Amino acid sequence: MRYLMVFLLCMSVVCLLSVSAQEVKPPTKLVFQTKMGNVTYDHAAHVKRAKGDCKVCHDKLFQQSDKAPLNYKPAMHKTAEANKTACAACHVTGGMAFPTAGNCAKCHVKAAS
Ligand code: HEC
Ligand code: HEC
Ligand code: HEC
């Protein structure tokens, strides 16, 4: 009986977590300000490529808040690429998306002066 209670409790926590990952309204675009030039992150395009599965990124790679740190900039992305964390979970050599090397301008856009 006690085990059943614990089991049910765990199941409801799991349910709550997966519901909360889906019910928030996702942003379309997020802009990250950096000294290298701002990065416009197309959240909608990334969600589409993840086939609508929020759990591909939340909260394993990122918090659902644009105020939370991305943890992507240390050592010019090399730390993240070595650990396959943050954007480098995918944007890494051998990953599903372009790595940083040679591709700075695909993300960092300098303001026209
Ligand atoms: C490919 C990765 C990825 C996927 C998939 C993804 N997100 Fe996000 N999401 C992000 C990133 C990156 C941020 C910004 C996090 C930060 O700034 O620390 C974010 C932020 C958010 C925010 C906060 C926006 C704000 O203005 O504070 C919400 C809400 C959110 N996502 C909802 C969702 C929902 C709902 C889904 C599924 C439909 C989803 N996300 C799928 C990467 C993703
Ligand atoms: C779950 C995997 C995944 C994560 C995490 C991810 N991306 Fe992407 N991203 C992709 C894929 C796949 C593409 C398209 C393939 C390509 O162009 O190599 C892409 C393309 C892009 C593009 C080109 C424009 C577009 O959206 O088509 C930019 C810019 C970009 N990502 C920035 C980021 C940034 C910044 C982060 C972290 C905040 C991030 N990505 C995290 C998978 C990911
Ligand atoms: C996949 C997209 C992407 C690519 C490619 C990329 N960056 Fe970034 N970069 C970002 C994002 C997003 C941030 C903000 C990270 C954070 O806040 O943790 C950032 C932050 C930085 C910062 C910190 C700037 C500051 O204001 O503190 C530097 C330096 C930087 N990038 C250099 C580079 C260089 C050099 C390259 C090319 C070799 C590059 N980046 C390629 C997305 C990218």
Side-chain angles (χ1 to χ4, degrees), residues 30 32 39-46 49-50 56-57 61-62 70 72 85-91 95-99 105-108:
L30 295 173
F32 300 107
V39 177
T40 301
Y41 176 71
D42 193 332
H43 191 279
H46 278 81
R49 283 186 292 251
V56 168
C57 295
L61 299 174
F62 310 103
L70 280 178
Y72 184 46
T85 51
C87 312
C90 303
H91 290 272
M96 64 158 84
F98 58 85
K106 282 197 186 172
C107 289
H108 292 280

Side-chain angles (χ1 to χ4, degrees), residues 32-39 61-62 66-83 85-88 100 108:
F32 300 107
Q33 320 246 334
T34 86
K35 295 182 203 114
M36 270 288 293
N38 291 350
V39 177
L61 299 174
F62 310 103
D66 63 356
K67 287 176 191 68
L70 280 178
N71 297 319
Y72 184 46
K73 60 184 166 194
M76 299 245 276
H77 310 311
K78 292 209 171 60
T79 308
E81 290 190 314
N83 300 322
T85 51
C87 312
T100 55
H108 292 280

